[in-house]
Amino acid sequence: MSQTVRLQKYLAACGIASRRKAEEIITQGRITVDGQIVTAMGVQVNPSQQEIRLDGTLVIPQEDFLYVLLNKPAGYVTTMSDPQGRPIVTSLLHGIKTRLFPVGRLDLDTEGALLLTNDGELAQKIQHPSYEVTKTYEAQVIGRPSTGKILELEQGILLEGKKTAPAKLQILARKTSTTSIRITIHEGRKRQVKKMFQAIGHPLFHLKRIAYGNLFLEGLLPGKYQFLTEEDLKKIFLKKIPLQKNK
Ligand code: URA
């Protein structure tokens, strides 16, 4: 990068975090440009002439991007550190020298597909609403939701004053007091699936994410991961394909 670029974009391109997280890091006062702390957003930098540091460490462009699909076990947090000392998902990765960060989040008790990468730009696209990347979950809920309630979720319901985008639901199995349901959404609000089922009176007791777009977990056991190829990454985006720069 020989020209000027927005600081948060540069940090994302160097694999520090997604652009949104990079903005948080800037706000926290952890970035210096030529020795000066920068907390303002949108500052232009010239990385070939200026020294940009995160927590004192020089930030340099990433040569190789890595993409990992992990089957997150319950009991792991998807943050990069945890003040309460709970296990963090990146402790499940072994022998990877670059720092990978999770794309989005899964709750402590949620299992399943979690992407990790050092490609901040792609992470940003996966999470950006305009790409409408779908996430599919298998949910076990209490009780037997009626067809009408399922339709309500499909069409969108009010959650905290804002209607959810249309979702796809499929009943997988009805038991006496519980139901297994496959649900596909493309929004990423905090605890969205839990809140959606709570809102129709059928709280969740188990949640597993099984896919991003058409990229499914398939045979990955909990705690195991696989490296993704460009072909795999294309399966994530069902609407627009933004992979031209991720060779
Ligand atoms: N929705 C939730 O409620 N929890 C998750 O972990 C993911 C989606």
Side-chain angles (χ1 to χ4, degrees):
M1 285 191 202
S2 59
Q3 289 161 359
T4 60
V5 59
R6 292 179 132 224
L7 179 56
Q8 60 265 48
K9 189 167 184 199
Y10 177 69
L11 296 175
C14 291
I16 296 302
S18 70
R19 215 180 307 170
R20 193 160 46 84
K21 278 268 176 232
E23 289 174 1
E24 277 175 41
I25 291 173
I26 295 171
T27 314
Q28 289 160 358
R30 295 168 61 192
I31 302 293
T32 55
V33 177
D34 289 338
Q36 300 293 315
I37 295 177
V38 173
T39 52
M41 225 32 70
V43 167
Q44 297 279 335
V45 292
N46 185 338
S48 62
Q49 290 172 13
Q50 292 179 294
E51 204 178 78
I52 296 143
R53 289 180 181 267
L54 163 63
D55 298 334
T57 304
L58 202 58
V59 177
I60 46 172
Q62 197 71 48
E63 288 301 319
D64 292 312
F65 288 133
L66 286 181
Y67 310 90
V68 159
L69 182 65
L70 168 76
N71 185 350
K72 173 195 168 309
Y76 280 75
V77 294
T78 54
T79 43
M80 296 298 282
S81 62
D82 185 55
Q84 295 176 50
R86 294 168 299 186
I88 62 174
V89 281
T90 46
S91 68
L92 294 163
L93 307 177
H94 304 290
I96 299 176
K97 294 207 178 69
T98 48
R99 176 176 172 277
L100 303 188
F101 56 85
V103 180
R105 60 187 303 283
L106 281 181
D107 296 336
L108 182 71
D109 56 352
T110 303
E111 294 176 30
L114 182 70
L115 275 164
L116 296 112
T117 186
N118 52 356
D119 181 346
E121 290 293 311
L122 192 76
Q124 176 78 9
K125 285 174 181 151
I126 291 173
Q127 294 174 92
H128 196 278
S130 67
Y131 287 93
E132 293 186 7
V133 169
T134 59
K135 272 93 51 179
T136 300
Y137 299 85
E138 280 180 9
Q140 321 277 321
V141 307
I142 312 261
R144 298 165 63 97
S146 65
T147 314
K149 296 271 184 205
I150 295 291
L151 201 63
E152 272 180 46
L153 290 185
E154 286 193 323
Q155 291 173 342
I157 50 156
L158 267 191
L159 276 189
E160 288 144 5
K162 190 169 170 248
K163 198 171 171 192
T164 56
K168 274 196 201 133
L169 279 89
Q170 183 195 355
I171 304 281
L172 300 175
R174 283 192 191 275
K175 303 210 175 106
T176 322
S177 54
T178 65
T179 307
S180 300
I181 301 170
R182 182 174 284 201
I183 172 166
T184 301
I185 59 173
H186 62 74
E187 291 171 298
R189 300 199 226 167
K190 221 173 182 184
R191 304 208 167 79
Q192 179 161 348
V193 180
K194 281 183 187 149
K195 286 177 186 163
M196 286 171 76
F197 284 105
Q198 186 79 41
I200 59 156
H202 293 279
L204 271 184
F205 67 92
H206 185 253
L207 186 63
K208 178 176 180 180
R209 179 155 64 201
I210 58 166
Y212 289 78
N214 275 336
L215 180 70
F216 281 80
L217 264 185
E218 286 168 1
L220 268 186
L221 294 172
K224 300 288 177 207
Y225 57 92
Q226 69 179 82
F227 290 95
L228 299 176
T229 63
E230 196 167 334
E231 279 311 298
D232 293 325
L233 295 176
K234 281 185 190 153
K235 294 182 190 161
I236 296 174
F237 296 93
L238 302 176
K239 200 179 152 212
K240 297 185 210 165
I241 309 272
L243 298 173
Q244 63 280 13
K245 79 178 264 288
N246 303 292
K247 295 270 151 62

